[in-house]
Amino acid sequence: MLKGYKIMKKAFVFDFDDTLATTDCCVVVRRPSGSGTRGLPVRKLTPAEFNTDVLADGEVYDFSEFRSDKFIHNANPTFLIHLAKEVHDSGFAVYVLTARADNVSKAIAEWLCGFGVKPVKVHAVGSDDSKVNIAKEKQKVLQTVKELFDVVYFYDDDQHNIDLARETGVKVYLV
Ligand SMILES: [Mg+2]
């Protein structure tokens, strides 16, 4: 290596749903029937719709489809899988940063490995039970990743996630 020349440490962080992959998973909105049983479905939301959804009084989210490994194993890659593969093969770090809950991290990592990409980590910031502030949680993770690398690139299909990510100084790309 030339004296004084420093290799840039780069990380590529990808959202999962509608960024790296598309699935048929939906979030079901239910209204409890009052008898303690599982409530009636009111509407179904795609991941993009969920990002901006607001619950009406008494409604709850049902994420059960997102907990199913089957949906992930059958996920369809988007064009960004080629970028992930290219940067991975160039020796750069690949992360996944998803609104899903942590129980599917392993399935997502396995799905990526099927395309020859081994992620450093799959950060799943969502929760099964409550709607956490996804954009804020993603921002926190990006802040941490940014401390480890010279340059961090972040890809996400949600404008709000991108806006908050930009505040951390990472390079952002709205998919
Ligand atoms: Mg997404």
Side-chain angles (χ1 to χ4, degrees), residues 15 17-19 156-157:
D15 168 45
D17 287 289
D18 295 329
T19 296
D156 199 297
D157 65 296

Side-chain angles (χ1 to χ4, degrees), residues 12-23 72 74-88 94-98 100 107-109 111-113 115 117-119 121-122 138 154-158 173 175:
F12 291 76
V13 184
F14 298 93
D15 168 45
F16 183 70
D17 287 289
D18 295 329
T19 296
L20 267 186
T22 57
T23 72
I72 290 171
N74 295 332
N76 301 306
T78 68
F79 68 98
L80 281 176
I81 198 74
H82 302 293
L83 175 65
K85 171 85 171 127
E86 195 178 312
V87 298
H88 171 268
V94 172
Y95 289 84
V96 176
L97 181 51
T98 174
R100 292 196 187 221
I108 290 176
W111 178 83
L112 264 177
C113 285
F115 296 94
V117 179
K118 192 175 185 310
K121 188 167 170 54
V122 175
K138 286 192 171 186
F154 177 56
Y155 301 80
D156 199 297
D157 65 296
D158 179 64
Y173 299 89
V175 180

Side-chain angles (χ1 to χ4, degrees), residues 1 27 30 32 46 48 54 60 87-88 96 103 105 121 123 143:
M1 204 200 304
V27 180
R30 293 179 186 277
T46 64
V54 177
V60 291
V87 298
H88 171 268
V96 176
N103 64 309
S105 296
K121 188 167 170 54
H123 287 280
Q143 200 89 56

